Amino acid sequence: MLVTLTGGAGAGKTTLAGALAVVAGPGPVRVLHGDDYYFAEPGCGRGVWAPDEGGAPRLDMGDPRSVDEGRLAVDVDAALGEARVVIVDGLFARRVAPQRPCRRFDVFVDLAADLRLVRKIERKCVAGGFPLEVLLRNYVGQRRAAHERHVEPLRRECDLVVDGALAPEVLAGLVWSAAAEKAERGRDS
């Protein structure tokens, strides 16, 4: 089974992926993180790159064209061959298109924009030392609009929308219950 977790930066997708893996039941579980699949080289001709204030090329991580979706799909296919459950989290996880047939359950992790921004500031700036002024300039200049353009529309394509403010254990229970209900409806049809 493939479970995807889509939503904005700071919504709690990675935390939920960990909670889902813990309570997934018997059998192997693989978790793949969408953040590991961004293009890394500006000269490769792939991804959306723009110069920063100093002229250095920076990848637009808010644009799905910056994700190596082909490599992610290959890794998901391989994981589906090895594990009973594969969980993919990322801004654009709903877009993953493996070739291997599988049951699929897509989740949109929702959280108000101000709370996502606070979480991102805590993680990147407070804990990680990233310059706050750069994060805020990027958010206002690009990331907010990119979320509305590229991430938010994926909500309509998901099987379930969950509140990212809830405890991860609670969310995991909701996701597994809803996934089981969908599987049962599929058997009845």
Side-chain angles (χ1 to χ4, degrees), residues 50-126:
D52 65 12
E53 301 79 27
R58 297 286 176 216
L59 183 66
D60 182 354
M61 297 178 82
D63 191 309
R65 296 173 296 172
S66 293
V67 176
D68 189 344
E69 291 180 340
R71 184 169 60 91
L72 176 56
V74 166
D75 286 358
V76 168
D77 278 328
L80 286 166
E82 301 166 358
R84 185 180 57 81
V85 175
V86 176
I87 301 166
V88 179
D89 76 83
L91 293 176
F92 313 111
R94 170 61 186 87
R95 294 172 53 104
V96 69
Q99 298 298 306
R100 184 182 289 267
C102 64
R103 286 185 314 148
R104 180 180 182 131
F105 193 73
D106 299 302
V107 179
F108 190 92
V109 182
D110 189 29
L111 191 66
D114 61 338
L115 297 177
R116 290 194 322 266
L117 182 58
V118 166
R119 285 181 176 180
K120 188 139 185 163
I121 289 169
E122 287 176 343
R123 183 178 71 238
K124 289 196 72 151
C125 301
V126 174

Side-chain angles (χ1 to χ4, degrees), residues 150-188:
H150 299 298
V151 177
E152 197 59 36
L154 297 172
R155 171 193 302 264
R156 294 184 300 274
E157 301 175 19
C158 289
D159 299 299
L160 178 68
V161 176
V162 297
D163 181 354
L166 296 175
E169 309 78 44
V170 171
L171 290 176
L174 292 171
V175 169
W176 287 130
S177 293
E181 288 175 20
K182 180 184 177 187
E184 191 59 37
R185 283 191 311 269
R187 280 194 278 273
D188 292 340

